[in-house]
């Protein structure tokens, strides 16, 4: 699953190679690629052909292209779902077809924008833009209007987000992953941010200080910025790529995926436990687990 830094790398590549270009002809061959579009592939082709890509935008892990400079509620945009393995590639004119190529658009400079997706969870949808439900006036693709600002946006307010997290009073990692509270923090960076903060992900957010929750959000931003610095320069000039599954992105992680390896701070073996159908990785010393609740909930069963 691509995380925010990978999506941002793709967005930057699209800014360099696709923004300003007109989509001369469009072809969608993957049946699943168009499955979110009510009118299917035919409608995607009809609504994209001849239009000029005016912007490449991102909020959290959502990525979209604005069209013809129309930046208003109701205007079309191309929402790109990267899914598990979706790639937006830009190739030169006449590049040979590749496996798992599901959609392509010939650009007016002769290059070709391609959507390649091995596992076909991703796709393209042409959708109207709508105002964000947070009341900020930011325009988002309508299906993403409920998504909160991500830590890289100037509109993001870590203190306000931390207050929401404390008020919801549940496991803090669950809230870091909740895209309606703060967007773009996936499982990997939630674990990394919690390790940097010295917080166990199962700690109840209402019992963590406002300062510590704000700190965790700031760490999430910093750890993703570090990943972006490490990975943002490693793509070829004419090869815009995202592939979260292959380890293409050069990550240097402190706890995620390091179960059994020593914590970089104290040397204790990193532990992995199941959480929300995924894994949580943490140092049991630097990030002490919350104590189990006692009392009424642990009454012995009466037979
Ligand atoms: Zn440790």
């Amino acid at each position: 699953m691509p995380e925010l830094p990978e999506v941002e790398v793709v967005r930057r590549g699209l800014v360099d190679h696709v923004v300003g270009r007109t989509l001369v002809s469009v072809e969608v061959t993957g049946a699943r690629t168009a499955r979110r579009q009510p009118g299917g592939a035919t409608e995607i082709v009809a609504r994209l052909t001849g239009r000029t890509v005016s912007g490449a935008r991102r909020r959290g892990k959502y990525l979209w292209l604005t069209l013809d400079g129309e930046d208003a509620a109701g205007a079309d945009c191309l929402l790109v779902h990267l899914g598990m393995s979706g790639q937006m590639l830009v190739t030169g004119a006449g590049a040979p077809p590749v496996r798992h190529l599901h959609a392509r658009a010939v650009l007016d400079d002769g290059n070709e924008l391609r959507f390649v997706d091995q596992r076909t969870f991703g796709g393209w949808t042409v959708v109207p833009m709508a105002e964000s439900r947070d009341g900020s006036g930011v325009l988002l693709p309508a299906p993403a209007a409920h998504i909160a600002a991500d830590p890289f946006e100037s509109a993001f307010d870590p203190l306000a987000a931390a207050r929401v997290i404390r008020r919801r009073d549940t496991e803090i990692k669950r809230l870091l992953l909740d895209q309606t509270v703060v967007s773009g923090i996936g499982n990997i960076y939630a674990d990394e941010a919690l390790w940097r903060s010295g917080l166990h992900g199962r700690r109840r957010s209402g019992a963590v200080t406002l300062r510590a929750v704000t700190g965790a959000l700031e760490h999430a931003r910093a750890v993703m910025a570090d990943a972006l610095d490490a990975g943002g320069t490693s793509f070829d000039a004419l090869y815009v790529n995202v592939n979260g599954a292959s380890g293409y992105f050069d990550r240097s992680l402190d706890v995620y995926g390091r179960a059994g390896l020593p914590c970089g701070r104290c040397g204790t073996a990193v532990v992995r436990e199941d959480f929300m159908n995924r894994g949580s990785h943490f140092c049991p010393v630097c990030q002490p687990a919350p104590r189990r609740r006692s009392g009424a909930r642990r009454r012995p069963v009466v037979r």
Side-chain angles (χ1 to χ4, degrees):
M1 197 84 164
E3 295 251 5
L4 185 154
E6 288 99 322
V7 181
E8 176 60 14
V9 169
V10 177
R11 190 196 68 78
R12 291 178 183 179
L14 292 169
V15 168
D16 290 345
H17 300 294
V18 179
V19 170
R21 303 264 65 93
T22 296
L23 308 173
V24 176
S25 67
V26 180
E27 188 181 21
V28 179
T29 48
R32 282 175 57 78
T33 302
R35 72 188 182 284
R36 293 177 182 87
Q37 189 80 43
T42 312
E43 188 177 337
I44 295 175
V45 170
R47 284 167 76 177
L48 289 181
T49 304
R51 305 196 69 174
T52 299
V53 177
S54 47
R57 308 270 172 82
R58 182 189 59 71
R59 168 170 275 198
K61 294 183 240 177
Y62 280 81
L63 175 70
W64 67 97
L65 300 177
T66 56
L67 303 169
D68 297 332
E70 292 175 4
D71 233 354
D76 279 348
C77 66
L78 170 60
L79 178 58
V80 178
H81 308 261
L82 294 169
M84 299 292 283
S85 57
Q87 296 172 291
M88 293 285 274
L89 309 177
V90 178
T91 62
V98 291
R99 286 187 71 195
H100 310 298
L101 173 61
H102 301 303
R104 56 181 174 180
V106 174
L107 308 177
D108 62 353
D109 61 359
N111 288 333
E112 193 173 288
L113 171 66
R114 293 176 165 189
F115 182 71
V116 173
D117 188 8
Q118 189 185 340
R119 298 181 65 185
T120 68
F121 289 104
W124 282 4
T125 334
V126 183
V127 296
M129 288 196 290
E131 283 196 10
S132 167
R133 284 194 213 142
D134 63 15
S136 63
V138 173
L139 285 170
L140 301 171
H146 62 293
I147 298 297
D150 72 51
F152 289 91
E153 292 179 57
S154 55
F156 180 70
D157 180 347
L159 197 59
R163 288 201 175 103
V164 171
I165 287 172
R166 291 194 74 243
R167 206 159 49 229
R168 297 237 186 141
D169 193 22
T170 184
E171 294 144 315
I172 187 168
K173 182 172 172 184
R174 188 178 293 276
L175 294 167
L176 291 178
L177 295 173
D178 185 333
Q179 304 296 299
T180 66
V181 175
V182 50
S183 68
I185 305 178
N187 196 44
I188 295 173
Y189 296 108
D191 280 2
E192 294 296 307
L194 288 165
W195 180 81
R196 289 192 183 191
S197 307
L199 292 172
H200 192 286
R202 281 192 287 102
R203 289 274 300 276
R204 288 194 73 95
S205 58
V208 177
T209 64
L210 182 63
R211 188 188 179 128
V213 177
T214 311
L217 291 167
E218 280 161 358
H219 281 306
R221 186 193 187 286
V223 74
M224 290 193 287
D226 289 350
L228 201 46
D229 288 345
T233 54
S234 62
F235 63 91
D236 182 278
L238 204 63
Y239 192 71
V240 183
N241 192 0
V242 66
N243 190 341
S246 74
Y248 160 81
F249 209 81
D250 181 25
R251 293 193 184 97
S252 58
L253 301 174
D254 289 307
V255 276
Y256 184 85
R258 291 179 49 84
L261 297 172
C263 165
R265 212 157 33 203
C266 74
T268 307
V270 169
V271 171
R272 179 194 184 282
E273 68 177 19
D274 290 335
F275 185 78
M276 291 174 72
N277 299 317
R278 283 174 280 192
S280 278
H281 304 76
F282 60 94
C283 169
V285 171
C286 298
Q287 301 164 268
R291 266 174 281 166
R292 287 194 181 281
R293 279 186 269 170
S294 56
R297 285 163 201 272
R298 298 184 73 194
R299 275 196 300 254
V301 177
V302 178
R303 292 176 194 274

